[in-house]
Amino acid sequence: MRNKQWGLGLFSLLVYLFLLGPLLIISITSFEPGTVLKFPPDGFSLHWYRHIFEVQMFPKTFTTSIIISLLGNILSLLLGIPAAYALNRFSFKGKDLLNAAFLSPVLIPGIVLGFTMLKYLLVTYHLPLYAGLLVGHTVIMLPFIIRVVGSSLSSFDFAIEEAALSLGAGPLKTFFKVVLPNIRSGIIAAVLIAFLESFNNVDISLFMTGPGVSTLPIQMLTYVENYFDPTIAAISVLLMVLTGILMFGIEKLMGLSYFTKR
């Protein structure tokens, strides 16, 4: 038994090294003082972290990514919360099909979805780049909003809502005063998860960006095609820190295991 536990522990350690090793290497190489990305670094320097803010396109595309993610989140919430409520509150014909349709953006390959949006939103309907990018990010965030909010609603006792209705509260007042406060933590967690999905998205953004309009991940790809310095490693470290903070917030709000119950 002791040997089996030792073997399982060693295997777990190897898995963690396999998963976290590349992140550790990127983090270390971001402090390379030279002009070429290398591991191990020849010294220690914060030059490439400062260089991020000296390249004009990085702050600009970071701002674009933030704006698109926030606006997309708002639109996804306006669409996703009513959809999640209807799917959990009512039984109707075609419910499973509708639920599958809402979740389909995470099942369809991103390249296929991105090319389809490019063809119809930008080429056929001539939407501006910003509008097309916003629609694309809203579509990919919507399944996460519906899934996470739906998980919260699945544990909500709708008898409380019925009690409020029986006491004279209208449907809208009951929804905003009774239902939403009880699933508030789920909504916040959904916003954080959807934000991460949008902010780090590459495949949809690759098709929906163009001259003068780009997101941070696309700008990073463009930069690494022409330069091989540690700037991208430094940005990656900052994004890992941002992701870690958001995931820590999600864990504190609901616990990551909460979303595996359904």
Side-chain angles (χ1 to χ4, degrees), residues 173-211:
K173 185 176 182 180
T174 300
F175 182 76
F176 286 103
K177 294 290 187 179
V178 177
V179 178
L180 287 186
N182 279 279
I183 61 170
R184 180 174 53 208
S185 59
I187 294 175
I188 296 174
V191 167
L192 295 177
I193 293 174
F195 176 85
L196 286 176
E197 173 64 20
S198 172
F199 188 85
N200 294 318
N201 180 267
V202 173
D203 39 20
I204 299 296
S205 300
L206 188 63
F207 287 95
M208 306 303 291
T209 53

Side-chain angles (χ1 to χ4, degrees), residues 14-221:
L14 292 175
V15 170
Y16 277 111
L17 288 176
F18 178 78
L19 295 175
L20 301 179
L23 303 182
L24 180 62
I25 291 174
I26 288 294
S27 301
I28 294 174
T29 54
S30 67
F31 299 105
E32 164 64 40
T35 58
V36 178
L37 186 68
K38 65 170 74 171
F39 181 83
D42 293 331
F44 179 87
S45 174
L46 296 175
H47 168 72
W48 300 108
Y49 286 89
R50 294 191 299 268
H51 184 67
I52 295 172
F53 303 96
E54 296 171 357
V55 179
Q56 184 180 2
M57 288 305 297
F58 286 137
K60 181 180 178 181
T61 54
F62 175 80
T63 303
T64 300
S65 293
I66 291 291
I67 293 174
I68 292 296
S69 297
L70 292 178
L71 291 179
N73 241 318
I74 293 173
L75 293 177
S76 298
L77 287 172
L78 292 176
L79 296 172
I81 291 179
Y85 176 80
L87 290 171
N88 282 270
R89 183 69 175 88
F90 306 109
S91 296
F92 51 88
K93 188 177 181 179
K95 177 179 175 178
D96 292 338
L97 182 62
L98 184 61
N99 188 40
F102 280 129
L103 298 179
S104 62
V106 299
L107 304 177
I108 300 173
I111 294 178
V112 175
L113 191 60
F115 178 77
T116 303
M117 290 184 178
L118 169 66
K119 185 179 186 305
Y120 288 101
L121 295 182
L122 301 186
V123 177
T124 303
Y125 296 106
H126 305 290
L127 281 182
L129 286 176
Y130 273 112
L133 186 62
L134 178 59
V135 171
H137 279 245
T138 301
V139 168
I140 62 173
M141 284 191 280
L142 187 58
F144 295 93
I145 297 292
I146 293 176
R147 175 69 176 177
V148 178
V149 174
S151 295
S152 293
L153 286 169
S154 67
S155 60
F156 174 70
D157 186 2
F158 286 101
I160 301 174
E161 180 188 27
E162 294 173 357
L165 290 171
S166 66
L167 292 173
L172 284 179
K173 185 176 182 180
T174 300
F175 182 76
F176 286 103
K177 294 290 187 179
V178 177
V179 178
L180 287 186
N182 279 279
I183 61 170
R184 180 174 53 208
S185 59
I187 294 175
I188 296 174
V191 167
L192 295 177
I193 293 174
F195 176 85
L196 286 176
E197 173 64 20
S198 172
F199 188 85
N200 294 318
N201 180 267
V202 173
D203 39 20
I204 299 296
S205 300
L206 188 63
F207 287 95
M208 306 303 291
T209 53
V213 179
S214 185
T215 61
L216 182 59
I218 302 304
Q219 184 59 37
M220 291 170 66
L221 285 176

